[in-house]
Amino acid sequence: MAITKVGMCGLGQMGSGIAEVVAKAGVTVIGYDVEDQFVQKGLGRINKSLSKAVEKGKLDESTKGEVLGRITGTTNLNDLADCDLIIEAIVENLEPKIELYKKLDGIVKKEAIFASNTSSLSIIEMGATTNRPDQFCGLHFFNPVPVMKLVEVIKTVATSDATFETARQFGEKVGKVVVSCADSPGFVVNRLLVPYLLDAIRALEAGVATKEDIDNGMKLGCGHPMGPLELTDFIGLDTIYYIGEILFAEFKQHHYASPPLLKSMVKAGYLGRKAGRGFYDYSK
Ligand code: NAD
């Protein structure tokens, strides 16, 4: 099936990045979020990211205009009815995701494919609540989406070969390298990455080193572009907390459990860059 119109649910960090790369690939996007202020924030983030690309000489001003012209925003789910593909990137929590999919299932045309950008939740658990589990898969992009080259395409036991193939081709169309994964918590990347980030927080909690020294250790000692605490701030402490909880519930292994410090910081609203404060201060 040709994907000519994408409905992007959730215009946060990930949703706005995905909308940007989809529109850059020549596909029309309609972005949905719960409140207009979030829609406007998402559209603003896309505008800023494209302007940066223009400044760097990676994009010309007229192409930027064309890309922006392919993206609209809405708070009305009914506006997504004629989309060929729905990509969902709302909060990493099963209940609101399922609630949204049930609504979408009754609104969006029957042939459309649904894809979740979840980092760790079971794709089939969401797909099975719709009448189209065969047209349901995972499309897991990485942050920041316009920069990161990878997308994990996740096939559940119910995903049809045709759906998987359409999703795989779509991932390539938007300029990504596709890794195919089974519907196992954390897929490939987060299954390996998240325990590492949680261990870095545990090291900080245990007083092994300062946050700067932990980050410098991994940057300079292992050649990582960002230290684990910087990366956790970048991804969002709430997102890492939720992923940790989900992986722990599945695998029951200590290294997937969220440390108390992470939980306290999430409760305090120190969610990382997006909140202006996480392990580091971004208020300025
Ligand atoms: P975010 O907090 O930046 O954005 C979430 C957006 O969803 C917000 O704009 C919020 O208003 C909106 N939202 C919440 N409930 C909604 C609903 N019921 N309907 C519509 N919109 C709703 O979060 P994010 O970092 O963009 O993460 C979103 C998803 O992407 C999560 O599933 C997360 O696990 C996944 N993900 C995140 C990263 C990352 O690095 N942050 C990477 C890959 C995947």
Side-chain angles (χ1 to χ4, degrees):
M1 183 174 69
I3 306 291
T4 59
K5 186 172 180 185
V6 168
M8 184 65 240
C9 291
L11 274 185
Q13 298 193 93
M14 295 303 291
S16 52
I18 297 167
E20 179 182 329
V21 297
V22 171
K24 267 190 196 151
V27 178
T28 304
V29 189
I30 176 158
Y32 163 82
D33 210 301
V34 276
E35 287 180 30
D36 191 54
Q37 56 164 325
F38 301 133
V39 173
Q40 296 313 324
K41 204 172 165 188
L43 296 177
R45 212 181 272 124
I46 296 168
N47 201 335
K48 200 169 156 191
S49 167
L50 291 170
S51 299
K52 242 189 208 169
V54 172
E55 270 167 38
K56 287 184 182 167
K58 291 181 180 167
L59 199 72
D60 59 55
E61 197 64 53
S62 77
T63 311
K64 176 190 159 187
E66 285 168 24
V67 173
L68 285 175
R70 284 194 279 272
I71 309 173
T72 51
T74 185
T75 53
N76 183 354
L77 217 48
N78 291 311
D79 292 341
L80 276 61
D82 63 343
C83 289
D84 306 304
L85 170 68
I86 299 290
I87 306 177
E88 166 274 314
I90 70 165
V91 62
E92 185 71 343
N93 197 323
L94 193 60
E95 265 175 41
K97 286 195 195 270
I98 286 179
E99 196 185 315
L100 177 67
Y101 280 120
K102 282 184 174 166
K103 284 189 204 156
L104 285 165
D105 201 28
I107 292 172
V108 184
K109 66 180 182 188
K110 288 201 167 51
E111 319 82 84
I113 291 174
F114 289 179
S116 179
N117 182 53
T118 180
S119 307
S120 54
L121 292 165
S122 158
I123 305 287
I124 188 62
E125 219 169 321
M126 292 181 259
T129 65
T130 69
N131 290 312
R132 56 184 99 193
D134 55 325
Q135 288 160 232
F136 206 110
C137 64
L139 268 175
H140 184 225
F141 289 88
F142 290 79
N143 191 14
V145 184
V147 177
M148 301 298 278
K149 288 299 287 178
L150 184 69
V151 63
E152 291 174 322
V153 182
I154 299 111
K155 191 175 192 294
T156 77
V157 287
T159 309
S160 71
D161 289 344
T163 297
F164 178 78
E165 191 47 29
T166 304
R168 196 190 61 72
Q169 283 178 17
F170 179 78
E172 286 177 354
K173 182 174 177 156
V174 301
K176 304 301 175 196
V177 174
V178 171
V179 164
S180 310
C181 309
D183 185 20
S184 172
F187 316 122
V188 173
V189 174
N190 281 330
R191 185 184 181 122
L192 302 178
L193 174 69
V194 172
Y196 155 67
L197 299 181
L198 296 175
D199 272 343
I201 300 169
R202 272 187 272 275
L204 180 69
E205 206 171 31
V208 171
T210 63
K211 54 181 186 276
E212 291 84 1
D213 283 350
I214 291 172
D215 280 339
N216 278 333
M218 294 311 292
K219 281 192 283 192
L220 305 178
C222 295
H224 290 191
M226 271 191 206
L229 301 170
E230 281 176 284
L231 182 55
T232 303
D233 273 356
F234 189 73
I235 294 170
L237 273 71
D238 51 342
T239 299
I240 293 300
Y241 174 72
Y242 290 135
I243 299 173
E245 293 293 293
I246 292 158
L247 293 173
F248 182 72
E250 181 72 19
F251 297 119
K252 308 280 188 304
Q253 287 168 2
H254 169 75
H255 65 294
Y256 290 115
S258 288
L261 175 61
L262 178 61
K263 187 173 181 180
S264 306
M265 291 180 72
V266 170
K267 293 273 178 235
Y270 304 159
L271 306 182
R273 271 178 194 251
K274 64 183 172 188
R277 179 172 177 176
F279 292 102
Y280 296 91
D281 183 0
Y282 303 93
S283 55
K284 292 175 199 92

